Amino acid sequence: MNKDFNYSGLKLGIIGGGQLGKIMSQKAKKMGFNVTILDPTPNCPAAQVSDRQIIGGFYDKEKLTQIVNESDVTTFELEHIDTSVLKELYDAGHNIHPSPYVMELIQNKYEQKKLLDEKGIPVPAYKDVKNNDDLASFGFPVIQKAKLGGYDGKGVQMLKTPQDIQNCIKAESFIEELVDIDKELAIIVARNIEGEIKCYPVVEMLFDERVNICDSVMAPARVSKHIEQKAIDVSIDSIKALDGVGIFGVELFLTKKGEVLVNEIAPRPHNSGHYTVEACATSQFEQIIRAVTNLPLGSTKLISPAVMVNLLGEEGYEGEPFIEGIHEALDIPELSFHFYGKSVTKPFRKMGHITVLDDDINKALEKANKAKNILKIKGSKKV
Amino acid sequence: MNKDFNYSGLKLGIIGGGQLGKIMSQKAKKMGFNVTILDPTPNCPAAQVSDRQIIGGFYDKEKLTQIVNESDVTTFELEHIDTSVLKELYDAGHNIHPSPYVMELIQNKYEQKKLLDEKGIPVPAYKDVKNNDDLASFGFPVIQKAKLGGYDGKGVQMLKTPQDIQNCIKAESFIEELVDIDKELAIIVARNIEGEIKCYPVVEMLFDERVNICDSVMAPARVSKHIEQKAIDVSIDSIKALDGVGIFGVELFLTKKGEVLVNEIAPRPHNSGHYTVEACATSQFEQIIRAVTNLPLGSTKLISPAVMVNLLGEEGYEGEPFIEGIHEALDIPELSFHFYGKSVTKPFRKMGHITVLDDDINKALEKANKAKNILKIKGSKKV
């Protein structure tokens, strides 16, 4: 897309139609672009707010070819896709960002870690697993991760004792030292086609330990200037190492010794960056649109401290979602309510989120926790 | 809608599918609602971001009945509609906000002014026009306004001398004294079903004098605390007088003597409130959704000073729009670009807008003016 391109009605393809694709599409539509979603589920969240949906899976070569052919630029809301056909299309000159080569590298968590390690970026100690002896080589407890296909706590497990080896992940995997974590941090990094890089603030991720899913995010993180700078530096270095274009969610471990290690990188808008919609000058969702369409990146300035809380489907419910407590929750000042429009709820499924602003981050946390206790996503069926 | 209502998938109808309906729909979709747009133009801006469009005009009784019947709540982005069938539906118990009775009153600018005047709200001197003598009764120059159907500078004209009477508006009209204006101010006021009222900050409206269309808006207005409070008081009194539910744009004159007079009221999101998307805790577009669905109103806090500039179609162009200067403009920090997705441009047509944030309102204005000089909306045909 050169500088004479007419951006009015630019055709954008988004592969994946969940909540990330939905908000990306809303920001693309804000700028007047024409958006097509590729997703196997008819009327998926992103399709509801876009011009058009192509119904097809992420490994359907024909439909992947169609969306790329019919778009000026194609991007992603998820990394679990067939890259082989996309590499051919990319090599033939189609605009696909991040490139399918970067996607392929990131898909394999072991290769991703190896690349970062080779580039001198601090990561937890890790080892390829070829047999059960490899699993035991760091002692116990140890973290085992599937190389491919993991997300939201899936594909990751802790082996506490040698006996746990019998229940280990059977797919291709690697092990990682159990890091003595002080906090889990994250940074959203944007990089556009011209190589311009912008970092969002360092945030703190809090997890629901029952299922290892991100529960809340505090922006900014409660860390020293020194740690903040370290986190920014390793995140920028990581994205330079990957040579990617788009938005990258860099998950970090702050160890009790004060080291900052890269845990993993998502090549797309990330749950830890949802707060940017309300709290930053340019949201991560608009930023990816700017990055992949060869527009200048927007300011990543934090306009207000914020706390984001995921609304997960309540345990014990399935079927058509029912929102409990919406009146009481929306009465909390400076609270923004997002509900994704998924047709069915399941236990721990990401159904929506809230972002709460306050000049005082501790007050924002207090208000967010109050809302979290009030809002429940139940369903039409008990399970 | 009582408190047990399941807001997941709530069916919202919006009458009118331009830029106001578009952003309203995006905010409703953020909350997971199901949105239907009624508009005569297929693929109008709002339809592009909504679940469904009913193609029909605003005086089409059958289609108006359909959207109300098929929605849990129906609201508006414009006031020029047939209220007779809506009144029947409202009386039969359908949720329509603001009520068609309020819409009908506001449609007639003379009746609107008379009501405010009778309730003791300060307005410019005005007089019903029955004949040419009435036109001359305040002397010259004087402002003549059509009672019905005016918007964006249409239906309003200045009669400078008695000779101008021959070119006066021929429809039913009234005259208004030519106020000695210091500034034109505006306030967005929200009122929900329970009667809760919230005011947004007082803003300053600047006009393109060639066509009397709002050109830019500064938030907050550069006025004293005393004037600010006066403006808030008359705006709240006006909305109480109307007894309306929804969002109201109150246009005000600040006279050189320091009086604050109500010019007119729009019963819907208003151009002077576009800045709230980026600059306030809750935008006017989310606020109307909350108001009409019986949810608590959100905070109207100004998070950052802001300047909004309308992007009007350049004189001399029509047809498919072409955005000139987008790269240079989007490089300006804290600038948010909105483009509505209208299929054709016309001279002075509202095609998009930008909002620029800055801690310093004067810097925001400087950046906005820079962008305004760069961004041009041209078209495929010269006219």
Side-chain angles (χ1 to χ4, degrees):
Chain A
M1 227 150 295
N2 63 34
K3 301 226 161 168
D4 297 333
F5 185 85
N6 183 12
Y7 281 80
S8 167
L10 175 147
K11 291 195 190 75
L12 178 75
I14 300 176
I15 299 174
Q19 62 268 23
L20 303 176
K22 176 186 175 186
I23 312 179
M24 282 162 72
S25 177
Q26 287 200 313
K27 298 306 175 186
K29 291 303 301 173
K30 176 182 83 88
M31 297 197 271
F33 300 163
N34 182 294
V35 182
T36 298
I37 302 294
L38 174 67
D39 195 279
T41 307
N43 201 32
C44 61
Q48 295 170 31
V49 299
S50 302
D51 294 275
R52 186 171 69 120
Q53 177 176 10
I54 296 172
I55 294 172
F58 310 128
Y59 292 85
D60 181 331
K61 287 181 200 294
E62 193 191 317
K63 298 297 169 69
L64 286 167
T65 304
Q66 185 191 348
I67 192 168
V68 170
N69 273 329
E70 294 176 0
S71 302
D72 296 314
V73 191
T74 304
T75 188
F76 311 90
E77 68 136 28
L78 80 178
E79 56 272 36
H80 300 304
I81 43 154
D82 177 284
T83 52
S84 62
V85 64
L86 293 172
K87 284 192 290 186
E88 284 169 31
L89 291 159
Y90 181 81
D91 291 339
H94 287 281
N95 295 312
I96 306 174
H97 301 293
S99 89
Y101 293 96
V102 170
M103 297 305 276
E104 188 174 58
L105 177 80
I106 285 186
Q107 279 177 352
N108 188 312
K109 288 190 187 178
Y110 177 72
E111 293 300 329
Q112 183 195 128
K113 190 139 283 178
K114 207 164 129 233
L115 174 81
L116 296 173
D117 187 22
E118 283 165 8
K119 297 272 183 175
I121 291 156
V123 295
Y126 65 103
K127 188 176 195 290
D128 197 7
V129 170
K130 299 208 173 71
N131 54 49
N132 284 359
D133 287 351
D134 289 327
L135 279 173
S137 49
F138 285 2
F140 296 90
V142 70
I143 304 293
Q144 186 193 14
K145 292 186 174 178
K147 289 184 180 176
L148 295 169
Y151 72 98
D152 275 355
K154 294 181 182 81
V156 177
Q157 71 175 40
M158 194 196 294
L159 307 178
K160 287 182 190 159
T161 66
Q163 285 69 47
D164 285 345
I165 290 182
Q166 57 189 323
N167 300 317
C168 74
I169 295 168
K170 304 305 178 201
E172 275 194 53
S173 71
F174 62 105
I175 54 165
E176 216 176 76
E177 64 170 323
L178 183 64
V179 175
D180 201 10
I181 296 173
D182 180 19
K183 287 178 193 293
E184 297 210 25
L185 306 177
I187 298 194
I188 302 294
V189 181
R191 185 166 177 276
N192 73 3
I193 292 172
E194 299 195 340
E196 185 189 7
I197 289 184
K198 284 200 177 166
C199 263
Y200 283 86
V202 184
V203 303
E204 219 172 307
M205 294 175 79
L206 309 169
F207 284 79
D208 185 321
E209 293 187 353
R210 291 172 299 176
V211 282
N212 199 31
I213 293 182
C214 172
D215 174 82
S216 350
V217 169
M218 292 180 73
R222 296 163 298 181
V223 294
S224 68
K225 278 275 159 206
H226 173 70
I227 295 295
E228 188 189 344
Q229 195 54 52
K230 249 195 203 178
I232 290 172
D233 291 344
V234 301
S235 298
I236 290 180
D237 288 347
S238 300
I239 301 319
K240 282 187 179 159
L242 289 173
D243 202 26
V245 169
I247 280 282
F248 298 85
V250 184
E251 299 180 14
L252 303 161
F253 294 138
L254 171 61
T255 71
K256 292 210 169 127
K257 287 183 198 151
E259 297 163 297
V260 175
L261 309 176
V262 175
N263 173 25
E264 60 185 62
I265 298 174
R268 51 165 171 79
H270 190 256
N271 199 173
S272 69
H274 285 2
Y275 77 94
T276 61
V277 172
E278 286 82 9
C280 292
T282 312
S283 72
Q284 64 168 348
F285 301 101
E286 171 163 344
Q287 199 73 288
I288 183 173
I289 307 301
R290 288 179 175 231
V292 303
T293 58
N294 200 21
L295 286 170
L297 297 179
S299 160
T300 56
K301 185 180 162 188
L302 188 73
I303 309 282
S304 166
V307 173
M308 189 284 309
V309 176
N310 282 324
L311 299 175
L312 306 176
E314 284 290 301
E315 270 190 290
Y317 293 91
E318 275 186 10
E320 194 194 327
F322 184 92
I323 308 167
E324 194 177 280
I326 188 169
H327 281 91
E328 216 183 321
L330 267 65
D331 216 12
I332 295 170
E334 296 178 71
L335 180 146
S336 176
F337 175 75
H338 293 249
F339 203 63
Y340 303 142
K342 295 179 180 177
S343 57
V344 294
T345 183
K346 286 176 199 164
F348 302 107
R349 189 174 194 196
K350 287 177 178 165
M351 298 300 292
H353 73 267
I354 53 166
T355 300
V356 182
L357 305 184
D358 202 291
D359 295 337
D360 175 344
I361 183 81
N362 292 310
K363 282 202 186 132
L365 186 61
E366 210 175 276
K367 291 193 285 185
N369 282 332
K370 187 177 161 196
K372 183 175 146 185
N373 290 328
I374 294 167
L375 276 168
K376 302 289 169 203
I377 311 306
K378 298 187 171 174
S380 53
K381 282 187 282 186
K382 291 217 172 194
V383 287
Chain B
M1 227 149 297
N2 62 35
K3 301 227 162 171
D4 297 333
F5 186 84
N6 183 13
Y7 281 78
S8 166
L10 175 146
K11 290 195 191 75
L12 178 75
I14 300 176
I15 299 174
Q19 62 268 24
L20 303 176
K22 176 186 175 186
I23 313 179
M24 281 162 72
S25 177
Q26 287 201 314
K27 298 307 175 187
K29 291 303 300 173
K30 176 182 84 88
M31 296 197 272
F33 300 162
N34 182 293
V35 182
T36 298
I37 303 294
L38 173 68
D39 195 277
T41 307
N43 201 33
C44 60
Q48 296 171 30
V49 300
S50 301
D51 294 275
R52 185 171 71 119
Q53 178 177 9
I54 297 172
I55 294 172
F58 310 130
Y59 293 86
D60 181 332
K61 288 182 199 293
E62 193 190 317
K63 297 297 170 68
L64 286 167
T65 304
Q66 185 191 348
I67 192 169
V68 170
N69 273 330
E70 295 176 359
S71 303
D72 296 314
V73 189
T74 304
T75 188
F76 311 89
E77 69 137 27
L78 79 179
E79 57 272 36
H80 300 303
I81 44 155
D82 177 282
T83 51
S84 63
V85 63
L86 293 172
K87 285 192 288 185
E88 283 169 32
L89 291 159
Y90 181 82
D91 290 339
H94 287 280
N95 295 311
I96 305 174
H97 301 293
S99 89
Y101 292 97
V102 170
M103 297 304 277
E104 190 174 57
L105 177 78
I106 285 186
Q107 278 177 352
N108 189 313
K109 288 190 188 178
Y110 177 73
E111 293 299 330
Q112 184 194 128
K113 190 138 284 177
K114 208 164 129 235
L115 174 81
L116 295 173
D117 188 23
E118 284 166 7
K119 297 270 183 177
I121 292 158
V123 294
Y126 65 103
K127 188 175 193 292
D128 198 4
V129 170
K130 298 209 174 71
N131 54 49
N132 284 359
D133 288 350
D134 289 327
L135 279 171
S137 50
F138 286 2
F140 296 90
V142 71
I143 304 293
Q144 185 193 15
K145 291 186 173 179
K147 289 185 181 176
L148 295 170
Y151 71 99
D152 274 355
K154 295 183 181 77
V156 176
Q157 70 177 41
M158 194 195 293
L159 307 179
K160 289 181 190 160
T161 66
Q163 285 69 47
D164 285 345
I165 290 183
Q166 55 188 326
N167 300 316
C168 74
I169 296 167
K170 304 303 178 204
E172 277 193 51
S173 71
F174 61 104
I175 53 164
E176 217 176 77
E177 63 170 323
L178 182 64
V179 174
D180 201 11
I181 296 173
D182 180 21
K183 287 178 194 290
E184 296 209 27
L185 306 176
I187 297 195
I188 302 294
V189 182
R191 184 165 177 277
N192 72 5
I193 293 173
E194 298 195 339
E196 185 189 6
I197 288 183
K198 285 200 176 164
C199 264
Y200 283 85
V202 184
V203 303
E204 220 172 306
M205 294 174 79
L206 309 168
F207 284 80
D208 186 322
E209 293 186 354
R210 291 172 297 174
V211 281
N212 198 30
I213 293 182
C214 173
D215 174 82
S216 353
V217 169
M218 294 181 71
R222 297 162 298 180
V223 294
S224 68
K225 278 276 158 206
H226 173 68
I227 295 295
E228 188 189 344
Q229 194 55 51
K230 249 194 203 178
I232 290 172
D233 291 345
V234 300
S235 299
I236 290 180
D237 287 347
S238 299
I239 301 319
K240 281 187 180 161
L242 289 173
D243 203 25
V245 169
I247 280 282
F248 298 84
V250 184
E251 298 180 14
L252 302 161
F253 294 137
L254 172 61
T255 71
K256 291 209 169 128
K257 290 184 198 152
E259 297 163 298
V260 175
L261 308 178
V262 175
N263 173 23
E264 59 184 64
I265 298 174
R268 50 163 171 81
H270 190 256
N271 199 175
S272 70
H274 285 2
Y275 77 93
T276 61
V277 172
E278 287 83 8
C280 291
T282 312
S283 71
Q284 66 169 348
F285 301 101
E286 170 162 344
Q287 199 73 288
I288 184 174
I289 307 300
R290 287 180 177 231
V292 302
T293 58
N294 200 19
L295 286 169
L297 297 178
S299 160
T300 56
K301 185 180 162 187
L302 188 74
I303 309 283
S304 167
V307 173
M308 188 284 308
V309 175
N310 281 324
L311 300 175
L312 306 176
E314 284 291 301
E315 269 190 290
Y317 293 93
E318 276 185 11
E320 194 193 327
F322 184 92
I323 308 167
E324 195 177 278
I326 187 169
H327 281 91
E328 217 185 320
L330 267 66
D331 216 12
I332 295 170
E334 296 178 71
L335 179 146
S336 177
F337 175 75
H338 293 250
F339 204 64
Y340 303 142
K342 295 178 181 179
S343 58
V344 294
T345 183
K346 284 177 199 162
F348 303 107
R349 188 174 195 197
K350 287 178 177 165
M351 297 300 291
H353 72 268
I354 54 166
T355 300
V356 182
L357 305 185
D358 202 292
D359 295 337
D360 176 343
I361 184 80
N362 292 310
K363 285 203 183 128
L365 185 60
E366 210 174 278
K367 292 193 284 184
N369 281 333
K370 187 178 162 194
K372 183 176 146 185
N373 290 328
I374 295 168
L375 276 168
K376 301 289 169 205
I377 311 306
K378 298 188 170 174
S380 54
K381 282 186 280 186
K382 291 217 174 194
V383 286

